[in-house]
Amino acid sequence: MSDTNRRLILRERPTGRIDDTTFQLDPQPVPEIGDGEALVRIEYISVDPTNRMWIGEEPTYLPPVAIGEVMRAGGVGRVVASRHPGYPEGALVQGLFGWQDYAVLSDAAGAFVMPEIPGVTTSSFLGVLGMTGLTAYVGMHDIGRPQEGETVVVSAAAGAVGSVAAQIAKIAGARVVGIAGGAEKCAMLVDDLGLDAAVDYKADDWRAQLKAATPDGIDVDFENVGGEIMDAIFGRLNLRARVPLCGLISGYNDGEPQQMRAFGRVLTNRVLIQGFIVLDHFGQAQEVAQILGGWMAEGRLKAQETVVEGFEGLPDAVNMLFDGRNVGKLVVRI
Ligand code: NDP
């Protein structure tokens, strides 16, 4: 066991993208544990668009990370020393461990012990069997409620949440259209994930592509992106359409307000928009992991992942999400 705990702390709040001045390496000795505590060696760190929101000035659904504080992030790792009966040595645990090698667990830390399942990789607990899968399931199954034959559109469909949400809608029997950047991702959505059509929002004719792919309008918009893409989708929403509002990634770096030309359609077509945050749904986590894990075992749900090697890659990994340099769940192995 190394005697140093590498930590990345917030140095200054970025005004746009994260850059070299945003974080600072602050190595410390590996923490000692006391009674009722356990030490976890972190193996994978989850990289999420919300990481960018957490370092802004404004509180979101959690307070901003303070200057000088270890960057907040989800992670999964193993307990390497324990004086807590709930976190035995060797247990695989998940929690908000931050950008560091080691974290101290206590009753207050809110970490979960993960089951050991043969054939299931450790990083899956950050992806389809973790918060990503839960987000997709709550948004699509519980809020979007796609019915057989309905048309569902998913933005950021080649990403972590989007790729799972789109497949859940396919399993429900809907016609599913994914929106993603570039021909390669669009081909993957149709050829590998079995979606009915894909729209390349980086192509000049993307609005025409969306129209052609949704000849009967749109019944469910699983919204991950916001901005112009959301506005174009809203212009095609059907009577009593549902919009699980999962994310607005197009505005996270610049904080631009959403400008909607087609918002009136929400009124005229009696559309239901429901924002949701996965933290409110932890109570369903185990049940949903069982459902999604079952679909994976049956070959009905494919989990995709992009792994960045090395702790030092963390800051740039957040930017990768905004450049679309990931397919499926983005994690850093440390
Ligand atoms: P993803 O794996 O989807 O990564 C982000 C993807 O978004 C990129 O790969 C990129 O794909 C696309 N993207 C980035 N910027 C833009 C843009 N300006 N316009 C269009 N597409 C863009 O991340 P997640 O699956 O983790 O998150 C997806 C969304 O879900 C985010 O909005 C996030 O905040 C939200 N979320 C919400 C949760 C909740 O509790 N409500 C929980 C988890 C996530 P491409 O190459 O196609 O551009």
Side-chain angles (χ1 to χ4, degrees), residues 48-50 135 156 159-162 180-181 185 201-202 224-225 229 246-250 252 276-278 321-322 324 326 328:
D48 300 280
T50 196
T135 305
V161 172
K185 283 190 178 181
Y201 77 90
K202 290 187 176 163
N224 281 321
V225 169
I229 294 176
C246 179
L248 297 165
I249 191 171
S250 66
Y252 294 171
F276 69 101
I277 295 292
V278 67
L321 296 170
F322 294 94
N326 65 306

Side-chain angles (χ1 to χ4, degrees), residues 298-322:
E298 291 164 17
R300 300 169 80 193
L301 176 66
K302 288 189 186 163
Q304 293 168 314
E305 185 181 74
T306 302
V307 181
V308 170
E309 294 291 341
F311 185 80
E312 33 324 300
L314 277 162
D316 182 56
V318 180
N319 283 335
M320 284 176 69
L321 296 170
F322 294 94

Side-chain angles (χ1 to χ4, degrees), residues 163-175:
S163 59
V164 179
Q167 293 178 84
I168 292 171
K170 273 307 293 176
I171 290 169
R175 173 184 159 73

Side-chain angles (χ1 to χ4, degrees), residues 141-315:
H141 179 270
D142 297 353
I143 301 172
R145 291 178 284 106
Q147 307 298 306
E148 203 159 337
E150 284 190 330
T151 299
V152 174
V153 171
V154 179
S155 49
V161 172
S163 59
V164 179
Q167 293 178 84
I168 292 171
K170 273 307 293 176
I171 290 169
R175 173 184 159 73
V176 183
V177 178
I179 303 181
E184 206 178 318
K185 283 190 178 181
C186 286
M188 182 280 290
L189 291 175
V190 174
D191 299 340
D192 297 347
L193 299 191
L195 304 199
D196 297 281
V199 171
D200 175 4
Y201 77 90
K202 290 187 176 163
D204 290 340
D205 68 342
W206 68 272
R207 288 171 193 278
Q209 287 185 32
L210 180 66
K211 192 171 171 199
T214 57
D216 301 327
I218 296 168
D219 301 296
V220 177
D221 166 28
F222 190 103
E223 187 55 56
N224 281 321
V225 169
E228 274 189 291
I229 294 176
M230 177 166 75
D231 198 27
I233 295 169
F234 271 37
R236 304 192 58 70
L237 289 176
N238 287 337
L239 194 64
R240 301 196 200 289
R242 285 84 64 200
V243 182
L245 180 51
C246 179
L248 297 165
I249 191 171
S250 66
Y252 294 171
N253 268 327
D254 59 19
E256 283 293 306
Q258 299 293 323
Q259 304 210 357
M260 298 290 293
R261 278 172 298 232
F263 196 73
R265 209 161 171 108
V266 173
L267 171 65
T268 54
N269 274 357
R270 296 81 148 175
V271 171
L272 176 76
I273 306 178
Q274 172 76 65
F276 69 101
I277 295 292
V278 67
L279 297 182
D280 299 339
H281 302 272
F282 277 2
Q284 278 172 268
Q286 287 199 334
E287 179 201 343
V288 169
Q290 292 236 331
I291 295 169
L292 299 182
W295 285 338
M296 273 168 77
E298 291 164 17
R300 300 169 80 193
L301 176 66
K302 288 189 186 163
Q304 293 168 314
E305 185 181 74
T306 302
V307 181
V308 170
E309 294 291 341
F311 185 80
E312 33 324 300
L314 277 162

